[in-house]
């Protein structure tokens, strides 16, 4: 007699599945409108599922699925329902493609996302160029863009050198994260601090060798750094960098960067970062941040403006 198991389609319902029956066959038999454009022959990926629990109760990837994965980038927790069979319970999963709009998002040739939504503790790094607006008012557009390119090249190289990734740029600022790979959050904190210090070093050289002689100006930046658990996902907009990282820790890091003006210090980090990073004790301040009921302790890792 064939064994019978239960699988939960999150957002739909739980259904029975018999030994030897694919997940796609079980969902269709239960009346769930599960997309399968190729008829369940592993020639498309429209039946793909995101396994949230019980991956060890699903049969290993077979040759048919391996061949499809050779042409489509899919992380290990994504499986083809037509090629996946159940060997035990519990199993909880999502149908990824639920309607025609989803079909367009997940079957386009340009979509090779390997992050469909996860939580991870990262180091969150915000940077802003100080007093850039007054500089804009006194120089030609070409000069402004040229110097921005030079500055952002310094930022990009320094962040990449320490295994960080820039998530977003806006005007004269940027937002980067550390720890997307295999690094622990402690290692990510160290990488982010090192990237910040490298940016300051490179900026001193750039100012002395280029900006001061040619423009009579000295650029300074403010950096805010925090660590915490955030949501990571690829929104699939068809642009080169469409990774999104969001959550309260992101807002805190942004507010720490804004606080560099109030505290007159170029590098403000949270208590969490200071604990992870270790090293010599830095000057500490209590600070009220918007959206946080109690004052938080911050550490001053930088220098006073005008003293770079």
């Amino acid at each position: 007699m064939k064994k019978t198991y239960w699988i939960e389609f999150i957002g739909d319902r739980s259904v029975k599945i018999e030994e030897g029956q694919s997940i796609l066959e079980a969902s269709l038999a239960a009346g769930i409108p599960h997309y399968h454009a190729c008829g369940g022959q592993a020639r498309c990926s429209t039946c793909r599922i995101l396994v949230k629990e019980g991956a060890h109760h699903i049969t290993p990837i077979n040759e048919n699925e391996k061949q499809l994965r050779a042409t489509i980038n899919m992380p290990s927790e994504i499986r083809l329902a037509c090629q996946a069979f159940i060997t035990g319970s519990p199993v909880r999963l999502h149908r990824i493609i639920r309607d025609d709009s989803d079909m367009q998002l997940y079957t386009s040739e340009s979509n090779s996302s390997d992050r469909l939504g996860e939580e991870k503790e990262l180091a969150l790094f915000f940077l802003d160029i100080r007093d850039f607006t007054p500089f804009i008012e006194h120089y030609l557009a070409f000069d402004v863009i040229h110097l921005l390119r030079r500055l952002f090249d310094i930022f990009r190289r320094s962040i990449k050198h320490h295994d960080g990734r820039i998530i977003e740029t806006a005007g004269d600022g940027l937002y980067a994260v550390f720890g997307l790979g295999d690094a622990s959050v402690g290692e990510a904190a160290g990488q982010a601090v090192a990237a910040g210090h490298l940016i300051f070093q490179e900026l001193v050289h750039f100012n002395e060798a280029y900006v001061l002689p040619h423009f009579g100006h000295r650029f300074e930046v403010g950096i805010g750094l925090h660590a915490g658990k955030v949501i990571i996902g690829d929104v699939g907009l068809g642009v080169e960098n469409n990774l999104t990282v969001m959550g309260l820790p992101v807002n805190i890091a942004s507010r720490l960067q804004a606080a560099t003006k109030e505290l007159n210090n170029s590098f403000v980090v949270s208590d969490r970062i200071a604990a992870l990073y270790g090293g010599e004790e830095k000057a500490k301040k209590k600070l009220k941040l918007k959206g946080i009921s109690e004052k938080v302790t911050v550490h001053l890792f930088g220098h006073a403006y005008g003293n770079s």
Side-chain angles (χ1 to χ4, degrees):
M1 183 176 178
K2 292 183 178 180
K3 293 181 180 179
T4 300
Y5 306 103
W6 284 90
I7 51 177
E8 179 187 350
F9 284 84
I10 300 169
D12 289 308
R13 57 186 175 277
S14 294
V15 303
K16 283 185 178 180
I17 180 169
E18 291 185 352
E19 185 179 14
Q21 187 179 32
S22 72
I23 292 176
L24 175 63
E25 290 169 337
S27 63
L28 292 174
I32 293 176
H34 204 140
Y35 275 85
H36 55 296
C38 73
Q41 303 300 312
R43 296 192 183 120
C44 72
S45 65
T46 57
C47 73
R48 69 176 94 170
I49 51 176
L50 171 61
V51 181
K52 300 296 290 184
E53 182 182 342
H56 58 291
H57 291 314
I58 300 177
T59 53
I61 295 171
N62 62 20
E63 287 303 316
N64 291 335
E65 191 169 345
K66 284 180 182 177
Q67 289 179 19
L68 187 70
R69 285 172 175 270
T71 60
I72 298 176
N73 181 16
M74 293 194 297
S76 60
E77 65 268 26
I78 301 296
R79 295 295 307 272
L80 294 183
C82 68
Q83 303 299 308
F85 299 81
I86 300 299
T87 61
S89 296
V91 174
R92 300 177 69 243
L93 48 83
H94 278 288
R95 279 186 304 132
I96 293 179
I97 299 174
R98 303 176 68 88
D99 56 29
D100 290 338
S101 296
D102 285 342
M103 179 77 81
Q104 294 174 9
L105 283 173
Y106 289 100
T107 60
S108 93
E109 294 181 0
S110 63
N111 186 350
S112 60
S113 168
D114 60 356
R115 290 186 184 273
L116 293 174
E118 61 180 286
E119 285 188 323
K120 187 174 176 64
E121 195 168 15
L122 302 177
L124 311 158
F125 181 107
F126 277 79
L127 177 149
D128 186 72
I129 303 170
R130 288 282 88 92
D131 301 322
F132 195 71
T133 301
F135 176 82
I136 291 175
E137 295 172 352
H138 292 91
Y139 289 92
L140 298 173
F142 176 85
D143 293 331
V144 171
I145 296 302
H146 172 67
L147 284 170
L148 268 180
R149 285 179 173 174
R150 292 287 300 266
L151 287 165
F152 273 86
D153 184 57
I154 290 171
F155 306 154
R156 179 190 57 78
R157 285 188 288 103
S158 300
I159 289 167
K160 185 176 181 180
H161 180 73
H162 288 287
D163 295 326
R165 176 169 171 177
I166 295 176
I167 299 299
E168 185 177 296
T169 61
D172 53 3
L174 64 81
Y175 161 36
V177 299
F178 295 79
L180 282 173
D182 296 329
S184 68
V185 65
E187 292 168 332
Q191 292 167 342
V193 171
H197 287 316
L198 181 56
I199 285 172
F200 291 128
Q201 294 169 15
E202 293 290 326
L203 201 52
V204 168
H205 176 73
F206 181 53
N207 280 326
E208 296 295 333
Y210 189 80
V211 186
L212 274 170
H214 295 289
F215 295 90
H217 187 81
R218 185 187 298 274
F219 285 113
E220 295 185 291
V221 299
I223 297 172
L225 182 58
H226 181 46
K229 184 172 287 187
V230 293
I231 296 171
I232 309 166
D234 191 331
V235 296
L237 294 178
V239 295
E240 180 179 357
N241 181 5
N242 52 14
L243 190 68
T244 294
V245 180
M246 63 183 77
L248 179 59
V250 177
N251 297 336
I252 292 174
S254 175
R255 288 161 189 163
L256 292 179
Q257 184 282 124
T260 58
K261 301 175 187 177
E262 174 188 341
L263 297 172
N264 190 30
N265 192 276
S266 59
F267 200 175
V268 176
V269 313
S270 67
D271 219 19
R272 173 72 171 143
I273 287 288
L276 289 167
Y277 179 68
E280 63 180 90
E281 183 75 9
K282 303 289 185 181
K284 294 191 287 187
K285 295 281 187 179
K286 287 285 188 178
L287 188 65
K288 183 70 175 73
L289 295 179
K290 182 180 178 182
I292 307 297
S293 58
E294 298 182 359
K295 285 188 174 182
V296 299
T297 300
V298 299
H299 300 251
L300 308 184
F301 275 39
H303 53 262
Y305 289 112
N307 296 325
S308 57

